[in-house]
Amino acid sequence: MGIVSPGFTGRRRSAEELPPGQYLTHDFPVLSAGPTPQVRTEHWEFTVTTESGEKHKWDWASLLAMPSEEITKDIHCVTRWSKLQTEWQGVSLDALLADVETSADFALVSSYGGYTTNLPLDDLLDGQAWIAYEYDGEPIDPEHGGPARLLVPHLYFWKSAKWVRGLVLSDSEDLGFWETAGYHEYGDPWKEQRYAGD
Ligand SMILES: Nc1nc2c(c(=O)[nH]1)N[C@H]1C(S)=C(S)[C@@H](COP(=O)(O)O)O[C@H]1N2
Ligand SMILES: [Mo]
């Protein structure tokens, strides 16, 4: 039996609310499979390629001109740290994909620097994913994916590609960097889908 603190009404919640096998961290670890690419906003471009090969492009100014949202979400890294109530600002994939005609089932996300990750297109829609460009009220640090990163907080954080540069939509699922290396193709932290076959 634990001791109950009657006055504890803050937003910080207990470790029991974490997905299985996760621990709480208050700092913000950096996890990068390679060096941090220096991406200048003047050169930044985000490209969506549909299954028919049609391309839709946004530059930095057109991203910033889109309606943005403040997002407060818990994030869960497969290396077992979770961080609660992280605060971001960005543009939803619903907004970005609104005029993109597609019936694709899958997306392969790619980053400046060569990182890739795959997920079902449905997991990018319905208020589940954003291209984020601010963290905690400031431009995202380069090491955390600035100038812009994908944010898909309901899946393990490796799906949230830093330095995001585009999506390729497809009818079949191509695996990304960690998924090819044996990590789970979907990665639901609540089902503890860490590795292929979990
Ligand atoms: N481009 C790119 N995106 C990436 C990664 C990476 O190595 N390269 N690592 C992933 C992993 S494993 C995690 S946990 C998060 C870490 O984000 P952070 O460094 O901001 O904590 O980014 C994900 N996105
Ligand atoms: Mo991770």
Side-chain angles (χ1 to χ4, degrees):
M1 282 290 157
I3 295 166
V4 178
S5 324
F8 188 83
T9 55
R11 296 149 69 215
R12 294 276 174 213
R13 291 160 301 156
S14 63
E16 290 103 73
E17 287 179 71
L18 294 176
Q22 297 294 111
Y23 68 86
L24 198 54
T25 185
H26 295 288
D27 57 10
F28 195 175
V30 171
L31 272 102
S32 300
T36 295
Q38 300 300 317
V39 184
R40 298 164 59 112
T41 53
E42 308 92 282
H43 302 143
W44 185 86
E45 218 173 41
F46 180 71
T47 305
V48 174
T49 307
T50 70
E51 68 274 28
S52 57
E54 199 185 322
K55 288 186 192 295
H56 300 255
K57 287 184 194 256
W58 291 263
D59 63 9
W60 191 251
S62 57
L63 180 76
L64 294 194
M66 296 192 65
S68 72
E69 297 174 18
E70 283 174 17
I71 307 119
T72 302
K73 292 285 182 187
D74 302 345
I75 55 179
H76 311 291
C77 173
V78 73
T79 64
R80 300 184 182 270
W81 58 265
S82 289
K83 189 170 171 59
L84 300 182
Q85 303 279 291
T86 61
E87 294 181 14
W88 307 85
Q89 176 137 2
V91 177
S92 73
L93 268 293
D94 297 297
L96 286 158
L97 297 176
D99 297 326
V100 173
E101 243 184 74
T102 180
S103 58
D105 290 324
F106 301 101
L108 186 68
V109 186
S110 65
S111 295
Y112 290 94
Y115 185 84
T116 54
T117 186
N118 59 278
L119 68 181
L121 180 54
D122 280 350
D123 287 81
L124 291 174
L125 301 174
D126 293 326
Q128 298 187 92
W130 297 266
I131 303 293
Y133 50 78
E134 279 186 18
Y135 172 75
D136 242 354
E138 303 284 343
I140 298 176
D141 284 344
E143 59 185 4
H144 286 297
R149 75 179 297 163
L150 184 66
L151 179 66
V152 198
H154 71 289
L155 299 176
Y156 279 124
F157 207 37
W158 89 75
K159 302 284 182 178
S160 293
K162 304 196 278 189
W163 319 294
V164 68
R165 84 181 295 176
L167 304 178
V168 176
L169 307 180
S170 161
D171 298 326
S172 59
E173 188 156 41
D174 291 322
L175 299 181
F177 179 81
W178 286 118
E179 294 86 356
T180 305
Y183 283 82
H184 199 276
E185 63 176 27
Y186 185 63
D188 181 343
W190 297 95
K191 295 183 177 158
E192 223 176 338
Q193 294 172 338
R194 298 177 192 276
Y195 307 106
D198 282 351

